[in-house]
Amino acid sequence: MTFAISQTNLRLLVDQLIQDGIFVVGPRRSGSMVLYEPLSKGEALTLDALPRRSAKELFFPVCEDILTYERVEGKMAVRDVDRAHYPETVLVGAPPCDAASPAILDSVFSWDYLDDFYLERRKKTTIIGMGCTRGDDACFCSAVGLAPDSVAGSDLFLTPLPGDEYACQVITEKGRSLTADYPGLFHEQSPVDPLPAPKQEMKQLNLERIKNWLDTHFDDPLWEKFADICAGCGACAFVCPACHCFDINDEGSSEKGTRRKHWDACGFGKFTNHASGHNPRDVQNKRYRNRIMHKFKYYNDKFGKTLCTGCGRCVRACPVGIDIAGILAEIDAK
């Protein structure tokens, strides 16, 4: 016997979490788009479309304050942001390509420096992942080691069943606590075949072979072919669940202000611009080369992971039609 939850009870779970003071985030229709946004009621939860942006900004906001400063009686007073106010949070309805990304980001935010802003949000968040039945021709999660039914990164994983039911799999203690706190919303159910996962036409990539090519082809002429059309807009990085570049700026005056962290992107022309004026990535194909190298070589060299979940958002968002999956397939064929 396995446990399940109906779609009606899933929405009731959202309502009860909110009533209990939990901050709940999930896919919600906002105008013409579906976005991850705070939910005020369960009926707002939208489960029939992949959100336009990823869920990473729940842990790694687009912009956040990290300290304030003010000159008081001739001395500079610096105040840290109180991270204790971060709320207990549940992310509900994350497909595998989004649920897997925080575990990838954990490595960089807890490597040589512990980023307490990110780590505190992670600690206080429970992820309810959901099997995907709605992929399109931009999806390629199965090519980077995930799948539409991958439980990686989820605390509780829901598999869509016929009749608006979800099989419920407990993955971590956080997930176990959630089901224990709201037992009346879950019920026993005999095993049922899940709804079919979306078909992905792209073959499985050999990531090891791709990395081996990247190891020895830094100056290959293929980079110009791949990326000379890149507009450097940063859309791919900003919608990506795994990209994590950021800049830090002081905003204000010499008397009072705020130090803030802002998203950045290695595709921007000034990302590597030196104070001297020299830019080692002075043309766009060098910047796009770095994007591929970072995701499929550098990150792997350091952490043994691929910095990509195959969500396909970069493909959908690119204004000039660059297809990262197609580039990887061409490299794989070398």
Side-chain angles (χ1 to χ4, degrees), residues 40-56:
S40 59
K41 52 187 176 182
E43 66 180 20
L45 185 65
T46 301
L47 299 172
D48 60 355
L50 180 73
R52 171 90 170 173
R53 301 195 303 265
S54 78
K56 73 178 176 186

Side-chain angles (χ1 to χ4, degrees), residues 139-209:
C139 296
F140 61 103
C141 68
S142 60
V144 293
L146 294 172
D149 59 354
S150 175
V151 303
S154 293
D155 298 300
L156 197 66
F157 189 78
L158 306 181
T159 300
L161 303 174
D164 289 334
E165 291 273 319
Y166 300 96
C168 180
Q169 184 177 356
V170 174
I171 310 299
T172 69
E173 281 304 313
K174 283 183 178 180
R176 191 178 308 281
S177 294
L178 189 65
T179 57
D181 289 343
Y182 301 93
L185 298 177
F186 299 86
H187 60 273
E188 292 186 348
Q189 179 168 317
S190 299
V192 178
D193 289 337
L195 294 176
K199 292 183 179 180
Q200 295 186 11
E201 300 298 330
M202 186 176 184
K203 67 175 184 178
Q204 184 70 32
L205 295 171
N206 187 323
L207 297 180
E208 182 178 0
R209 186 163 56 217

Side-chain angles (χ1 to χ4, degrees), residues 104 107-108 294 297-305 307:
I104 296 173
S107 295
V108 75
H294 189 193
K297 171 177 160 52
Y298 303 148
Y299 208 77
N300 192 308
D301 285 341
K302 191 154 203 70
F303 301 117
K305 300 177 183 180
L307 193 66

Side-chain angles (χ1 to χ4, degrees), residues 235-312:
C236 54
F238 280 22
V239 297
C240 174
C243 282
H244 52 266
C245 293
F246 63 88
D247 196 4
I248 294 177
N249 302 102
D250 288 344
E251 299 179 3
S253 67
S254 61
E255 300 299 312
K256 182 179 181 181
T258 303
R259 180 164 292 174
R260 313 188 84 190
K261 185 194 299 184
H262 305 268
W263 282 6
D264 207 342
C266 63
F268 290 159
K270 293 184 178 180
F271 184 78
T272 51
N273 207 37
H274 295 186
S276 66
H278 171 64
N279 191 341
R281 298 184 201 140
D282 55 345
V283 291
Q284 203 61 41
N285 62 62
K286 292 181 181 180
R287 296 189 273 272
Y288 194 82
R289 175 184 62 193
N290 182 74
R291 176 173 173 78
I292 300 294
M293 288 283 193
H294 189 193
K295 287 184 168 297
F296 299 96
K297 171 177 160 52
Y298 303 148
Y299 208 77
N300 192 308
D301 285 341
K302 191 154 203 70
F303 301 117
K305 300 177 183 180
T306 297
L307 193 66
C308 175
T309 65
C311 70

Side-chain angles (χ1 to χ4, degrees), residues 13-144:
L13 175 62
V14 171
D15 290 336
Q16 291 191 21
L17 287 166
I18 294 169
Q19 289 173 12
D20 291 342
I22 306 297
F23 183 61
V24 183
V25 174
R28 187 176 77 86
R29 193 162 297 281
S30 180
S32 62
M33 297 185 292
V34 173
L35 303 172
Y36 286 109
E37 292 189 338
L39 300 175
S40 59
K41 52 187 176 182
E43 66 180 20
L45 185 65
T46 301
L47 299 172
D48 60 355
L50 180 73
R52 171 90 170 173
R53 301 195 303 265
S54 78
K56 73 178 176 186
E57 56 199 82
L58 180 60
F59 313 100
F60 172 41
V62 177
C63 182
E64 66 177 325
D65 296 350
I66 58 177
L67 62 81
T68 61
Y69 62 92
E70 183 177 7
R71 192 181 302 277
V72 179
E73 297 179 353
K75 295 182 179 181
M76 194 62 71
V78 177
R79 297 179 179 84
D80 289 332
V81 170
D82 180 12
R83 293 177 287 280
H85 76 278
Y86 295 166
E88 293 292 332
T89 300
V90 171
L91 170 62
V92 58
C97 57
D98 283 336
S101 69
I104 296 173
L105 293 174
D106 287 350
S107 295
V108 75
F109 286 112
S110 60
W111 166 46
D112 59 343
Y113 176 78
L114 297 179
D115 187 321
D116 289 336
F117 300 93
Y118 171 88
L119 295 173
E120 186 69 13
R121 290 187 176 94
R122 278 285 279 138
K123 183 175 71 174
K124 291 185 173 181
T125 300
T126 299
I127 299 175
I128 302 178
M130 184 169 291
C132 183
T133 60
R134 55 186 181 275
D136 60 21
D137 57 4
C139 296
F140 61 103
C141 68
S142 60
V144 293

